[in-house]
Amino acid sequence: MLSGASPQPAGGPPAERPARGNAVVAVLALAGIVVSLMQTVVIPLVPELPRLLHAGPADTTWAITATLLAGAVATPVMGRLGDMYGKRRMLLLSLAMLTAGSVIGALSDTLAPMVAGRTLQGLAAGVIPLGISIMRDELPPARMGAATALMSASLGIGGALGLPLAAFLAERVDWHVLFWGSGALGALAALLVVTLVPESGLRGGGRFDVPGALGLSAALLCLLLGISKGADWGWGGTATLGLFAGGAVLLAVWGWWELRTPEPLVDLRTTARRQVLLTNLASAVFGFAMFAMSLVLPQIIQLPEATGYGLGASMLTVGLVMAPSGLVMMAVAPLSARISRTRGPKVTLMTGAVVVAAGYGLGIVLMSALWQLVLVSAIVGAGIGLAYGSIPALIMAAVPPSETAAANSFNTLMRSIGTSVSSAVAGVVLAQLTMRLGPVTVPAQSGFRLVMAIGAGAALAALAVACFLPGRRAPAASAAQPAGRVPATTATEPRG
């Protein structure tokens, strides 16, 4: 909040601020949930996409891959543009692309327009880091902890709650309705942002780093395309190895450029600060751990009972089993904020890692009944909610307010990279540990247990990284803090 000549940046007298703050939190959380719903909406359609789009199975995977690649490219770019030109403006642009992509998907009956629509939807991936950054600018310190915890967890909340809804609709109505619904929600979220979310006057200024954006985008495309297509092309194949090598070279050149340009896309010197570096590393490892549940549980639920461990249920049942994890994430957001306020976000992150590891450990032995999988999903969801609620506080405590969106966006990117690697590793494990079921080959139960164990190990690795984060220190004034503005750090953040 501002002082001096501009004491009320959010508008209105003091009595109106709590109501305005509640509206901002609700609208931004809704926008985050809508983005995660967009990523979930196509999952029930995956087995049917070759028939629906009149294309081969290998080609229809681009409906998933395109969204992943677009999101990876858009997240850091939109964060930097938000710091420069206005976070609300970039949030609205992201929601507009989501809505347009949804409409294109709803009008599609062939592969090319569907991939184009899914690409536009993926470009909305920056909504969550932008929303967290808007909260930092607009909310009083006492509100920040719970609000950013809810916003950070909205990706998991929307995915968990959207899956059963998408599965239900996919089984009973024309599949185009899923995309029309996504577009309507995107338009509603944009309208609410226009109506209720103010634009922050806090800008970073400067010139946009076009070479840096192109270089990072090219490097990410190479690396993530290699990860997502490695199983199809062969991990030792020329295309896969060429993409990895090209991505590594591009990343090195990009880093060299970022360190020498006066106004970089990503300030690598800030990113190299101990707290930012370790938080980003923990986020990547945690993203790896989080996705194991999403890969294992649906397959166990849907595989036939003849396997000896499959439950033979429908995709709708998958959604209903995983939905409680989203509700748990929402419920633990205030608890995450409370722990961060009293003990520091480092402790919250470590607690979340322990809970996730415990959930996966339980999943190794409990996977023979639906209630067991609901329990595992809920425990892992609680750990994710705790950890993800603490990560924005750790990031924002270590960067100036003018770099909040860029820093949160880069952290989100690291989380996405961890998720992509998790998908690839789990795919390799399940492809190697198989069993015969009549004429077909399916993953063996030992493969699912190993993936659970890897998820638990990744959570413990995140715990180990978090141990090296700085502890809570006395508040220190930020050199980058604009004159006349109260620092936006919150009671949930470590100071310094």
Side-chain angles (χ1 to χ4, degrees):
M1 290 187 287
L2 299 176
S3 61
S6 302
Q8 298 176 22
E16 295 179 5
R17 293 180 193 168
R20 178 47 121 8
N22 291 338
V24 169
V25 172
V27 170
L28 295 177
L30 173 64
I33 290 172
V34 168
V35 169
S36 59
L37 283 171
M38 169 275 299
Q39 296 177 345
T40 305
V41 72
V42 77
I43 291 178
L45 301 176
V46 169
E48 300 295 322
L49 283 178
R51 178 181 63 83
L52 297 174
L53 299 178
H54 315 290
D59 294 330
T60 55
T61 59
W62 283 102
I64 307 295
T65 305
T67 308
L68 166 70
L69 299 178
V73 169
T75 300
V77 171
M78 297 304 285
R80 176 61 179 147
L81 290 173
D83 283 333
M84 292 176 61
Y85 301 116
K87 305 175 186 71
R88 176 177 177 267
R89 183 175 298 173
M90 293 303 111
L91 178 66
L92 287 170
L93 177 60
S94 297
L95 291 171
M97 289 188 291
L98 184 149
T99 303
S102 299
V103 171
I104 292 173
L107 295 173
S108 299
D109 286 305
T110 56
L111 181 62
M114 174 60 73
V115 171
R118 292 289 292 168
T119 300
L120 279 173
Q121 286 185 321
L123 293 175
V127 162
I128 291 176
L130 286 168
I132 292 171
S133 303
I134 291 172
M135 288 177 176
R136 182 183 193 182
D137 293 347
E138 301 301 328
L139 297 180
R143 297 289 313 279
M144 274 291 295
T148 56
L150 178 62
M151 189 70 195
S152 187
S154 64
L155 182 60
I157 294 169
L161 299 181
L163 185 56
L165 177 60
F168 177 82
L169 292 175
E171 290 180 0
R172 287 164 173 79
V173 299
D174 182 77
W175 64 274
H176 295 88
V177 172
L178 297 174
F179 287 90
W180 285 119
S182 177
L185 288 173
L188 173 63
L191 177 62
L192 292 174
V193 169
V194 170
T195 305
L196 298 172
V197 177
E199 178 65 90
S200 170
L202 185 61
R203 305 283 175 85
R207 180 175 298 177
F208 184 70
D209 178 18
V210 175
L214 294 176
L216 181 59
S217 298
L220 289 173
L221 286 173
C222 288
L223 294 174
L224 292 177
L225 188 58
I227 291 171
S228 61
K229 290 294 186 179
D232 297 330
W233 296 344
W235 293 106
T238 302
T240 305
L241 294 178
L243 284 170
F244 286 147
V249 171
L250 287 169
L251 205 57
V253 173
W254 172 78
W256 174 85
W257 169 264
E258 293 297 281
L259 289 171
R260 283 158 179 76
T261 188
E263 298 177 277
L265 175 73
V266 177
D267 188 342
L268 293 181
R269 291 180 176 84
T270 298
T271 304
R273 292 175 187 170
R274 178 181 170 191
Q275 182 158 315
V276 179
L277 177 63
L278 292 177
T279 302
N280 284 332
L281 181 58
S283 296
V285 178
F286 221 95
F288 184 103
M290 179 192 77
F291 204 60
M293 176 181 68
S294 301
L295 292 169
V296 169
L297 266 59
Q299 294 193 60
I300 293 175
I301 293 169
Q302 291 184 282
L303 281 169
E305 296 180 359
T307 59
Y309 62 88
L311 301 180
S314 66
M315 176 59 75
L316 177 58
T317 303
V318 171
L320 294 174
V321 167
M322 300 188 70
S325 68
L327 298 175
V328 170
M329 287 182 205
M330 189 181 302
V332 301
L335 176 61
S336 175
R338 182 176 180 180
I339 297 173
S340 294
R341 184 172 60 252
T342 57
R343 304 296 301 275
K346 171 183 175 178
V347 173
T348 313
L349 177 58
M350 294 171 67
T351 303
V354 170
V355 174
V356 169
Y360 280 128
L362 195 63
I364 294 173
V365 296
L366 294 182
M367 58 171 62
S368 59
L370 289 176
W371 72 266
Q372 294 175 351
L373 299 182
V374 171
L375 178 63
V376 170
S377 173
I379 293 174
V380 173
I384 292 170
L386 287 171
Y388 277 8
S390 66
I391 288 171
L394 287 164
I395 291 292
M396 290 189 293
V399 302
S402 59
E403 298 177 16
T404 299
N408 278 320
S409 295
F410 191 75
N411 177 262
T412 300
L413 173 63
M414 294 300 293
R415 191 188 311 179
S416 299
I417 290 174
T419 298
S420 301
V421 174
S422 172
S423 177
V425 170
V428 170
V429 170
L430 296 179
Q432 295 297 317
L433 298 176
T434 60
M435 61 177 286
R436 297 291 298 179
L437 183 64
V440 300
T441 300
V442 298
Q445 188 177 33
S446 59
F448 291 118
R449 285 178 169 154
L450 180 55
V451 173
M452 289 275 201
I454 292 172
L460 293 176
L463 171 66
V465 172
C467 287
F468 293 95
L469 284 165
R472 302 185 72 176
R473 298 192 298 272
S478 170
Q481 186 68 40
R485 183 180 178 93
V486 177
T489 52
T490 78
T492 68
E493 301 165 359
R495 307 303 204 256

